[in-house]
Amino acid sequence: MKNFTSVYDIDNLQEIIAKALKIKENPLENPTKGKGKTIGLVFLNSSLRTRLSSQIAAQNLGLNVLTLNAAQEAWNLEFADGTVMNGDTVEHIKDAIEVLNQYCDIIAVRCFAGMKNKADDVNESILSQFLKHAKVPVISLESATRHPLQSLADCITITENWTENRKPKVVLTWAPHIKPIAQAVGNSFTEWMQKMDVDFVIANPEGYDLDKNFTKDTKVIHNQDEALKDADFVYVKNWSSFEDYATMSKVEENWMLTNEKLELTNNGKVMHCLPVRRNLELSDEVMDGENSIIYQQAKNRIFSAQAVFSEILDELK
């Protein structure tokens, strides 16, 4: 694994899930594996779980950790090539990355979709700059179109909660929100579920279909009750329209997950990547109920990151 930006950077998904679960049993088994190496965590957007889980994972491996809140603590960055920098931007991204190359053995970066220019987001205008200019391995802590460490944690969580000798039914269901949200989590979870041995279905209102480049042949149902029937896992997440990019058409039906809707499932376990807007995306009764495995999911962010960091360190030897 030279970089980690999507499920396609994983040679064997089941092997890395097993590795993460083994790490979970003893996170400090290899406390000096990263000794003498530095990982730079670059945050262009807000973060709680990604920041803390990445720091813990890196420290568990003995890595030196540099954390840069670039949006608040660094110079205003310019991302366009060939621009005359006579405005508010002070440092070009390729210069910043070249400096990071000097300081870090691994660069991990978190950025969101701009939600203004569809082409920029689809083409990963920020992450692509890191992949182009970095001379060390690059790890995506989330990008405009994907959230791979979250998705690996999701796979870990499903694996450790499933013991039956059949494929589990996994439903990714859209939820309401107050503002347009990017498709990264939904896209990424879809790609990873396509690599898992599961019966996977997406439920969303008309007008909210994800990018076909991610959903491919996955079944998409526009009736939430129909999709939830007999589900073993229900992943709740909002996203805005992809076709009418970054807009939110009105949805008449109630898509918030409640205990009443959970009765349609096979005692389905409820997942969410957090943060969650309570009583909008998920009711309190579900969030705090016995079917919720959301906090287990959050804890597994440590072990997904540690498994990936460990794989990257193997490449640096």
Side-chain angles (χ1 to χ4, degrees):
M1 189 191 302
K2 295 182 178 178
N3 297 308
F4 179 76
T5 64
S6 78
V7 71
Y8 300 109
D9 292 318
I10 300 292
D11 290 332
N12 188 309
L13 177 54
Q14 291 306 313
E15 282 185 5
I16 199 165
I17 291 172
K19 179 172 185 172
L21 288 170
K22 186 175 184 296
I23 289 170
K24 187 172 183 177
E25 293 175 2
N26 184 6
L28 296 176
E29 184 177 3
N30 293 299
T32 61
K33 186 168 188 176
K35 185 177 180 180
K37 302 292 185 184
T38 297
I39 185 170
L41 306 178
V42 181
F43 290 90
L44 296 168
N45 301 91
S46 302
S47 177
L48 190 154
R49 278 147 299 277
T50 299
R51 180 192 309 271
L52 298 183
S53 62
S54 297
Q55 289 176 333
I56 293 168
Q59 290 165 0
N60 286 347
L61 292 166
L63 280 159
N64 180 41
V65 183
L66 301 178
T67 301
L68 176 64
N69 301 312
Q72 294 85 33
E73 299 171 353
W75 301 111
N76 288 342
L77 292 169
E78 176 61 55
F79 293 94
D81 285 333
T83 189
V84 177
M85 292 173 56
N86 59 359
D88 294 335
T89 56
V90 178
E91 183 160 29
H92 200 282
I93 186 63
K94 62 184 178 183
D95 299 323
I97 295 170
E98 184 54 46
V99 172
L100 290 169
N101 285 331
Q102 313 304 313
Y103 297 163
C104 304
D105 300 284
I106 303 169
I107 298 172
V109 59
R110 178 182 176 94
C111 56
F112 291 167
M115 304 293 285
K116 295 178 180 178
N117 186 304
K118 185 176 183 178
D120 281 351
D121 291 343
V122 168
N123 294 320
E124 295 283 7
S125 62
I126 296 176
L127 179 61
S128 63
Q129 295 264 25
F130 281 83
L131 293 170
K132 178 180 178 181
H133 297 295
K135 297 172 183 173
V136 299
V138 173
I139 296 171
S140 171
L141 302 177
E142 188 170 7
S143 68
T145 65
R146 293 180 172 98
H147 198 346
L149 284 178
Q150 176 66 57
S151 298
L152 177 53
D154 300 336
C155 293
I156 295 164
T157 307
I158 289 171
T159 299
E160 64 183 350
N161 279 281
W162 189 248
T163 58
E164 295 189 34
N165 190 25
R166 63 175 178 85
K167 289 184 181 182
K169 180 179 178 181
V170 180
V171 177
L172 170 64
T173 181
W174 181 91
H177 209 282
I178 63 168
K179 63 180 182 179
I181 298 294
Q183 297 91 27
V185 171
N187 289 341
S188 193
F189 185 70
T190 296
E191 283 188 326
W192 288 70
M193 287 301 101
Q194 289 164 352
K195 299 289 186 179
M196 291 279 282
D197 188 22
V198 300
D199 176 15
F200 180 55
V201 176
I202 302 173
N204 58 258
E206 296 277 1
Y208 284 89
D209 287 0
L210 293 167
D211 183 354
K212 288 284 189 183
N213 287 321
F214 292 95
T215 58
K216 297 184 172 67
D217 296 327
T218 297
K219 182 186 292 185
V220 179
I221 299 175
H222 296 129
N223 182 302
Q224 189 184 44
D225 288 354
E226 179 185 346
L228 290 174
K229 186 177 179 182
D230 299 325
D232 298 297
F233 295 91
V234 181
Y235 199 119
V236 178
K237 186 68 181 83
N238 172 266
W239 58 85
S240 57
S241 174
F242 178 75
E243 183 176 356
D244 191 7
Y245 195 66
T247 65
M248 296 173 62
S249 58
K250 188 174 181 180
V251 176
E252 298 292 344
E253 301 86 359
N254 178 16
W255 280 74
M256 183 181 74
L257 191 65
T258 62
N259 275 347
E260 182 179 359
K261 292 186 178 185
L262 268 185
E263 291 178 4
L264 299 167
T265 72
N266 182 32
N267 196 32
K269 301 295 186 183
V270 178
M271 304 174 70
H272 192 289
C273 63
L274 295 175
V276 63
R277 290 182 178 262
R278 284 174 174 256
N279 302 310
L280 179 64
E281 297 175 79
L282 269 172
S283 61
D284 279 338
E285 62 183 5
V286 174
M287 185 76 189
D288 300 325
E290 61 183 15
N291 289 65
S292 173
I293 54 173
I294 292 169
Y295 300 130
Q296 179 183 354
Q297 210 181 336
K299 184 173 183 178
N300 283 337
R301 290 295 308 277
I302 298 170
F303 312 116
S304 67
Q306 194 165 335
V308 169
F309 295 172
S310 179
E311 293 279 309
I312 295 288
L313 285 170
D314 287 340
E315 289 288 328
L316 294 178
K317 288 182 178 179

